[in-house]
Each structure stands twice: as structure tokens, then as C-alpha cells.
Amino acid sequence: MSTRSSRGGTVSQNSGAYEGYAAGGAADRSGQAAAFDAIGARYDEAFPHKDGQLASVERLLAGLTPGARVLDVGCGTGVPTARQLVDAGHTVVGVDLSAGMLELARKHVPEAEFRQADLTTLAADGPGGLGQFDAVTCFFTLLMLPRAEIPGALRLLRSLLRPGGRLALSMVEADLDDTEIPFLGSTIRVSGYLREELQRTVLDAGFEITGEETYAYAPASTDAPPEHQLFIDCRRTGQ
């Protein structure tokens, strides 16, 4: 059953800005950040086998030139993605909302640069601008946004990529919108799409889909039934 957010936010079609969630900036996601601060290292304990994520990065690496610049959005503890990218010889910038996760990431991957930031505030230019990247990884990060924000977030990620740049994206396949769920002893809000709607959303944001894999996965620390994880390989289209 689908549940819909009652906040009524809208997404700008031109700039990737977000309207209706917070005046002059990102929505208040302090609760999400606090939940992941509390979860800390237990996240990797609960999700020890990240076969789909590892395989997605391997496909990404196969198409990157040596020394590529890669942005890891929602980097978490830095394991396995930032570690995998650095070990392959690439320059990595990781961003995450959770200070606790970033503390772990800096210990696990000291060679990378990490910044605390809300995904929806990222920019290539201006004060604090990140510049552009050859590739972006975004594993299970967009599911932390209400659906109203996801198309704009994808366009924002596109703006951080050089023309032809690649995006490795994953979501859990679920018909949910800003739904509160218990997660490793905390409460978080999540959204999801069914496969065809996610594909349309990615295409509409200015990407082509070059590959796709699906994995069934259940956290090691729960008795929950397996979730279906969608991994989509994308390439920025246009200039």
C-alpha cells in the first residue's frame, strides 16, 4: 500500500532547488541524522554482505579512467564503497548527513575527503561548491527523501557530473512515500518506487540507463523477509 507525504512540497524544474520543505535551505532531517548517529557501526554489522553494492562499483570502475574523481553520496561508514574506490586509485569525496557515520568513514578511509551535508544542498559551484565529478555513487540514499524531492535530487546529482559522467544508483523496490519504519533500534522515514516508476524517474532526470541488477537481501540482525534491492547503472545525457 502506498502512503503519501502530506507536506505538499514541490520541486523546481530548472535549478534542482526544493520548495515547500524549509525556507532558504534543505528540509529538517535532524531526526534522520540522529538515528544514523545512534546506529553507527551496527549498520555494517546488520548489513555485512553487500554483494549488489560491490558489484555495482565494479561495473562503475570498469568504465572509469585512472585517477577519476568520484562523489560518494550517503557514504555512511565509508565501507565498502569509498574504500573500494580509493583502492582502485580514484579520488573520492564522501558526503553524509550523519556526523557519527562520517567519524567512522574518516577512520576506515583516511585517504578520502569527507563532508557533512544534506544531499539536497550540494552544488558544483559557489561557496562550498564540490566541483564536477566523473562519477557519482548513491546507494540507498534517495530512499531517505520524500518522493517529492527525489526527481530534483536526481537532477542535482546530474549537475555534479561532467557530460557523459556515470551514476551508480540503488533503491529498495517498494511503493512507499516518507513512511516511518523501525530500523536497528531507531526510527527513520523512507520512500521507494516500484521498478518501472523508478526507471521513468531516472530517465526524466536526464540519464540513460546502461545496466540494472536486482538482489534479494535480508539484514543479518532481523527476521524480516528479504527486500528487493535495485541497482541501476546510469550515464548523464546531454551537456
Side-chain angles (χ1 to χ4, degrees), residues 95-118:
V95 296
D96 202 281
L97 194 62
S98 165
M101 288 289 187
L102 289 171
E103 182 179 357
L104 293 169
R106 291 184 180 106
K107 293 177 181 177
H108 292 155
V109 196
E111 307 94 324
E113 174 188 351
F114 294 102
R115 299 191 189 188
Q116 185 175 10
D118 188 304

Side-chain angles (χ1 to χ4, degrees), residues 11 14 18-19 42 48 123 189 191:
V11 182
N14 298 318
Y18 298 82
E19 301 169 357
R42 288 187 295 127
R189 306 188 71 86
S191 299

Side-chain angles (χ1 to χ4, degrees), residues 160-195:
L160 294 169
L161 284 167
R162 298 186 174 104
R166 301 177 64 192
L167 168 66
L169 174 70
S170 68
M171 292 279 284
V172 174
E173 185 174 19
D175 188 13
L176 299 172
D177 186 3
D178 200 31
T179 302
E180 191 174 274
I181 65 167
F183 185 72
L184 300 181
S186 296
T187 299
I188 60 173
R189 306 188 71 86
V190 300
S191 299
Y193 294 100
L194 299 181
R195 180 193 307 268

Side-chain angles (χ1 to χ4, degrees), residues 46-70:
F47 295 90
H49 306 296
K50 301 183 177 74
D51 294 343
Q53 191 165 329
L54 290 165
S56 179
V57 173
E58 285 300 322
R59 294 193 300 273
L60 181 69
L61 291 174
L64 292 180
T65 58
R69 192 164 186 259
V70 185

Side-chain angles (χ1 to χ4, degrees), residues 29-172:
R29 275 184 271 274
S30 57
Q32 298 279 62
F36 280 93
D37 286 346
I39 289 167
R42 288 187 295 127
Y43 182 85
D44 288 332
E45 295 170 4
F47 295 90
H49 306 296
K50 301 183 177 74
D51 294 343
Q53 191 165 329
L54 290 165
S56 179
V57 173
E58 285 300 322
R59 294 193 300 273
L60 181 69
L61 291 174
L64 292 180
T65 58
R69 192 164 186 259
V70 185
L71 177 65
D72 185 13
V73 178
C75 61
T77 66
V79 179
T81 298
R83 181 75 268 164
Q84 195 176 2
L85 292 165
V86 164
D87 287 347
H90 300 297
T91 299
V92 177
V93 178
V95 296
D96 202 281
L97 194 62
S98 165
M101 288 289 187
L102 289 171
E103 182 179 357
L104 293 169
R106 291 184 180 106
K107 293 177 181 177
H108 292 155
V109 196
E111 307 94 324
E113 174 188 351
F114 294 102
R115 299 191 189 188
Q116 185 175 10
D118 188 304
L119 157 61
T120 64
T121 69
L122 301 181
D125 303 315
L130 296 172
Q132 287 194 306
F133 295 84
D134 301 294
V136 172
T137 58
C138 186
F139 294 124
F140 307 109
T141 305
L142 296 184
L143 62 84
M144 300 297 165
L145 304 179
R147 276 194 190 178
E149 294 191 59
I150 292 174
L154 282 166
R155 290 194 295 275
L156 186 155
L157 294 181
R158 181 185 180 278
S159 75
L160 294 169
L161 284 167
R162 298 186 174 104
R166 301 177 64 192
L167 168 66
L169 174 70
S170 68
M171 292 279 284
V172 174

